Amino acid sequence: MALQPQTQLLHQEHWPTTGFDSVQPGVFRASTVFFPDMAAWRQRDWLSKDRFIYGPHGTPTTFELEARIAHLEGAAHALLCASGLNAIALVHMALLRPGDEVVVPINVYPAHRALLTGELASWGIQVALYDPTDLSTLRIGEATRLVWVEAPCSITMEFPDVPAIAAAARQAGVLTALDNTWGAGVAFCPFDLGIDISAQALTKYANGAGDVVMGSVSVRDKSLYDALKRCSARFGLHVPAGEAEAVLRGLQSLAVRYAAHDRTGRLLARHLAGSGAVVEVLHPALPGACGHEFWQRDCRAAAGIFSVVFDAKYSQQDIDGFIDALQLFRIGFSWGGPVSLVLSYGRDVASLRPLAGELVRFSAGLEAPEDLLDDLSQALALLL
């Protein structure tokens, strides 16, 4: 039948993509997805990626990113989440029920801690703590359903014996989940170390530009993937295709950027260690750091993020002055982007032991290392 122009514009065939190939995959944005017929609609499966159903279920763009994240981490399946914390929350929501217990490191990521003591506690989920540097404190009881691992631990950077934790949990029939934001799928493979679930903030190294917030959860087991996917669908969790496109671009340079962050991070850490103002450098790749032997055994690289503890003679005001004097290190949350960052956590940060002085965390960016060293030197001169 003859159609009016306005109708024709809405019902024209899309330009065919078969035979087109380029560096970057196409971007497909959709809420409504068309079915060819009712038979296809009746066969829809929200757990399957064999066909497209609805925008939040996924588009070729988001499925592409999930596939690449799974491949990067050595997993079989991956799910995108709105943020790294959202990825952590999804694991809890999908796998824990009232009366269950989750075991986490004493110095767990602060935002994760807030989730545990807030919503999860109100839902009747119990929390037990363990010292990741002393596995005699890892107690797995009858109610335990999940053990969390951070490698390294948040802010204070202790690197645990991941295979030993995973083996203890597996022997007890309990799942393990690891926050792999630091490793980013580059430093080590969590699944090869015995971990069941890997969650990470793609906000950091995967994106690499400091302009996208996103997370992911990866697994090898299909039944675990199905549980996570069902929960994600029920909560309506969704990642926009444009954001997924940005992370897909970032992944193409991830390995090169990670290596650059690693080199600069170690250089800066050694410089600060010899400054006279710092009493301890918390970087798992440096000899003498807590868990260095486990990092050396299990890892092939390190992130460009580390912390230092300043001499106790320096007050909070002194450290704030040092940070304010830095010209290239910017003050801000997150890390893994092109610009170097710095933040003071004082002495109140969750730690396995009392801190000798003020703790400051650095994230090495992609600036010329010699410029960053000069910047540190001029700011340190105010303290010494």
Side-chain angles (χ1 to χ4, degrees):
M1 58 181 174
L3 300 176
Q4 296 299 314
Q6 68 191 69
T7 305
Q8 289 177 342
L9 289 172
L10 295 174
H11 289 270
Q12 284 182 320
E13 293 289 330
H14 294 300
W15 191 273
T17 57
T18 303
F20 176 82
D21 197 12
S22 65
V23 173
Q24 190 68 7
V27 182
F28 294 85
R29 297 177 174 88
S31 53
T32 297
V33 175
F34 299 134
F35 294 86
D37 49 46
M38 282 302 298
W41 182 83
R42 296 189 188 283
Q43 293 168 7
R44 67 195 184 280
D45 181 359
W46 289 89
L47 299 180
S48 173
K49 294 181 180 179
D50 290 341
R51 64 184 67 195
F52 301 100
I53 298 173
Y54 185 41
H57 172 250
T59 70
T61 307
T62 57
F63 283 0
E64 177 81 23
L65 179 54
E66 288 174 340
R68 293 193 186 191
I69 293 297
H71 182 76
L72 175 68
E73 292 202 282
H77 315 277
L79 275 171
L80 300 179
C81 301
S83 68
L85 182 58
N86 184 222
I88 291 171
L90 174 62
V91 175
H92 286 301
M93 292 188 297
L95 303 179
L96 300 178
R97 299 294 178 267
D100 290 346
E101 179 185 75
V102 57
V103 181
V104 301
I106 293 171
N107 50 351
V108 68
Y109 170 49
H112 190 172
R113 177 185 294 272
L115 173 66
L116 294 166
T117 58
E119 279 67 26
L120 292 188
S122 71
W123 297 340
I125 295 168
Q126 307 301 311
V127 179
L129 303 176
Y130 73 99
D131 178 347
T133 68
D134 179 6
L135 297 193
S136 68
T137 65
L138 178 61
R139 296 183 174 88
I140 300 174
E142 291 185 3
T144 306
R145 297 292 177 268
L146 183 64
V147 174
W148 271 93
V149 184
E150 290 189 358
C153 289
S154 181
I155 303 174
T156 47
M157 309 301 289
E158 299 90 350
F159 204 95
D161 188 344
V162 178
I165 297 172
R170 182 153 297 177
Q171 185 175 13
V174 172
L175 294 170
T176 50
L178 181 139
D179 185 333
N180 198 26
T181 304
W182 182 93
V186 177
F188 62 92
C189 176
F191 302 100
D192 289 348
L193 301 181
I195 294 295
D196 297 301
I197 304 163
S198 174
Q200 65 162 309
L202 304 180
T203 308
K204 311 293 198 286
Y205 286 117
N207 173 41
D211 61 353
V212 167
V213 177
M214 193 183 298
S216 66
V217 181
S218 301
V219 295
R220 283 182 172 174
D221 184 85
K222 180 62 163 60
S223 63
L224 271 179
Y225 168 77
D226 288 350
L228 291 161
K229 179 65 176 177
R230 285 191 191 96
C231 185
S232 176
R234 289 166 182 158
F235 275 91
L237 303 183
H238 174 54
V239 169
E243 305 287 89
E245 176 200 16
V247 179
L248 281 166
R249 287 199 305 269
L251 286 181
Q252 294 171 346
S253 61
L254 171 60
V256 176
R257 289 186 288 101
Y258 197 93
H261 289 297
D262 185 359
R263 287 192 301 271
T264 302
R266 296 194 210 199
L267 184 68
L268 299 178
R270 293 190 184 100
H271 180 75
L272 285 162
S275 69
V278 168
V279 295
E280 190 174 8
V281 176
L282 310 176
H283 190 311
L286 298 189
C290 186
H292 171 70
E293 66 275 22
F294 302 130
W295 173 86
Q296 194 170 40
R297 181 193 67 194
D298 297 332
C299 296
R300 47 189 178 265
I305 185 170
F306 64 94
S307 298
V308 301
V309 179
F310 279 86
D311 192 296
K313 67 183 180 183
Y314 298 115
S315 67
Q316 183 183 80
Q317 184 177 4
D318 293 331
I319 300 305
D320 285 355
F322 159 75
I323 291 175
D324 289 343
L326 291 167
Q327 298 172 15
L328 299 178
F329 292 84
R330 306 301 299 270
I331 302 169
F333 288 113
S334 197
W335 35 276
V339 176
S340 294
L341 299 175
V342 62
L343 271 181
S344 173
Y345 284 85
R347 303 187 194 193
D348 297 329
V349 62
S351 178
L352 301 176
R353 53 186 169 76
L355 297 174
E358 301 283 312
L359 183 145
V360 175
R361 189 182 75 179
F362 293 87
S363 171
L366 297 177
E367 300 92 345
E370 55 268 31
D371 291 337
L372 295 175
L373 289 174
D374 288 345
D375 193 24
L376 284 177
S377 295
Q378 64 83 23
L380 285 167
L382 300 177
L383 290 177
L384 298 172

